[in-house]
């Protein structure tokens, strides 16, 4: 998947927003505001001005600025991370007048998930190097001092959220899992019970991305250029990000929809790379199992929406084997066996 492909347009996809953005960026001669393919939160556009490019995220007109549509919250954390040596796009302008929006630099590169983007050509060697570098990015992200992060958030107009621990994360995704019919997620009830029985003690909280993986990290060759999609960032347990990242290195968890990529770092290797870059706490079997439950819950929810006709997508019918594999692997981890 690439975040660089844009539709070919000669007029603004949203003329009112286009005018606001050009005025704020002092770019009256910039090209049309066009939809950015691959954007998932709110409305995502691109605007080009000569050799420069801008990504614009906006709240859909008439929609509340909540959840994934709260684009200004995303802009606040990006601004707070400026100057920390991390590959995050620079925020160049924002407006809170409805509908709110912000603009950031358009980074070079592509975001490819080696295990899941099966139609994208990516050599195993390149996939391994990108995964290795991503683990180091995550370690550096979690090493950002909390006090400096808080100062940056406030300076950008944002707020510091309350920390969330392992139990909070479990309860959050348990709600998603429990909204899925039981026949779509066999073994999920027992898995949730097992997770609740062994919730680890929290450790010092850090900034967590919430969806850290290669699919959300643009790379130019082997070089990470921009960590994107900050919809669910928060302050929480660092092992949540690390456990989630690890799921996407094991193609055997995605039968029928993914592929095994030889040479990708194992979850243990990811942990070592992560700690070398400033990460402190290794992931554990519980967090790896939690991440698999989360992925199964998301896939089960998507399959339910398809079967109920709320979002027609026949590809979702390929998910049941993967959902079963994720839940079975989580059970095995909690029993101390091979995932």
């Amino acid at each position: 998947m690439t975040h660089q492909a844009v539709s070919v347009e000669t007029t603004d996809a949203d003329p009112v927003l286009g005018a606001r953005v050009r005025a704020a960026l002092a770019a009256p001669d910039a090209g049309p505001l066009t939809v950015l393919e691959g954007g998932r939160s709110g409305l995502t556009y691109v605007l080009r001005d000569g050799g420069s490019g801008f990504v614009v995220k906006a709240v859909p007109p008439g929609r509340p600025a909540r959840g994934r549509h709260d684009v200004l919250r995303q802009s606040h954390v990006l601004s707070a991370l400026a100057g920390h040596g991390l590959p995050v796009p620079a925020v160049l302008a924002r407006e809170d007048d409805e509908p709110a929006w912000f603009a950031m630099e358009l980074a070079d590169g592509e975001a490819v998930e080696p295990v899941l983007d099966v139609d994208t050509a990516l050599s195993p060697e390149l996939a391994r190097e990108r995964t290795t570098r991503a683990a180091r990015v995550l370690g550096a992200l979690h090493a950002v001092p909390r006090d400096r992060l808080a100062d940056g958030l406030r300076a950008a107009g944002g707020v510091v959220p309350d920390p969330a621990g392992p139990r909070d994360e479990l309860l959050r995704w348990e709600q998603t899992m429990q909204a899925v019919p039981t026949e779509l997620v066999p073994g999920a009830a027992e898995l949730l019970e097992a997770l609740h029985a062994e919730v680890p003690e929290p450790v010092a909280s850090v900034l967590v991305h919430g969806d850290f993986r290669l699919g959300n990290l643009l790379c130019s060759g082997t070089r990470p250029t921009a960590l994107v999609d900050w919809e669910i960032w928060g302050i929480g347990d660092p092992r949540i990000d690390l456990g989630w990242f690890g799921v996407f290195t094991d193609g055997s968890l995605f039968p029928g929809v993914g592929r095994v990529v030889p040479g990708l770092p194992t979850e243990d290797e990811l942990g070592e790379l992560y700690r070398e870059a400033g990460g402190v706490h290794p992931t554990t079997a519980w967090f790896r199992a939690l991440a698999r439950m989360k992925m199964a819950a998301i896939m089960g929810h998507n399959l339910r929406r398809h079967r109920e006709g709320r979002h027609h997508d026949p590809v979702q019918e390929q998910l049941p084997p993967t959902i079963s594999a994720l839940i079975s692997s989580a059970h095995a981890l909690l029993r101390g066996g091979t995932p």
Side-chain angles (χ1 to χ4, degrees), residues 112-115 121-137 214 217 219 221-224 245 248-249 259-273 276:
V112 177
E113 197 68 73
V115 163
L122 193 70
S123 73
E125 294 78 16
L126 182 55
R128 178 179 176 83
E129 183 61 24
R130 286 186 180 179
T131 304
T132 296
R133 295 197 179 203
R136 296 188 176 117
V137 169
L214 277 183
L217 183 64
C219 294
T222 61
R223 179 175 61 90
F245 183 27
F248 296 89
T249 65
R259 60 185 172 188
V260 173
V261 179
L264 283 187
T266 65
E267 289 181 271
D268 287 337
E269 288 180 276
L270 287 183
E272 292 300 324
L273 295 163
E276 289 173 4

Side-chain angles (χ1 to χ4, degrees), residues 36-48:
L36 178 65
E37 302 298 336
R40 293 186 179 87
S41 61
L43 299 172
T44 308
Y45 305 95
V46 68
L47 186 76
R48 297 186 183 276

Side-chain angles (χ1 to χ4, degrees), residues 116 180 183-186 253-258 295-307 311 313-327:
L116 291 179
V180 181
E183 64 270 16
L184 300 184
V185 285
L253 294 173
F254 302 93
V257 297
M295 186 78 257
I298 292 170
M299 288 185 164
H301 183 263
N302 290 341
L303 179 58
R304 174 194 174 185
R305 293 180 67 230
H306 162 68
R307 290 190 174 178
H311 178 69
D313 183 5
V315 172
Q316 302 300 323
E317 292 296 341
Q318 300 175 16
L319 294 181
T322 284
I323 293 171
S324 294
L326 289 162
I327 293 173

Side-chain angles (χ1 to χ4, degrees), residues 189-232:
E190 296 81 3
L191 174 57
L192 289 170
E193 183 178 353
L195 286 165
H196 274 288
E198 301 181 25
V199 179
E201 290 297 318
V203 297
S205 56
V206 301
L207 171 64
V208 292
H209 180 273
D211 191 13
F212 188 91
R213 52 191 177 86
L214 277 183
N216 284 330
L217 183 64
L218 273 68
C219 294
S220 179
T222 61
R223 179 175 61 90
T225 59
L227 179 59
V228 298
D229 290 353
W230 287 85
E231 291 87 345
I232 57 174

Side-chain angles (χ1 to χ4, degrees), residues 186 191 323-333 335 338-339:
L191 174 57
I323 293 171
S324 294
L326 289 162
I327 293 173
S328 295
S329 176
H331 276 297
L333 283 164
R335 291 193 299 264
T338 303

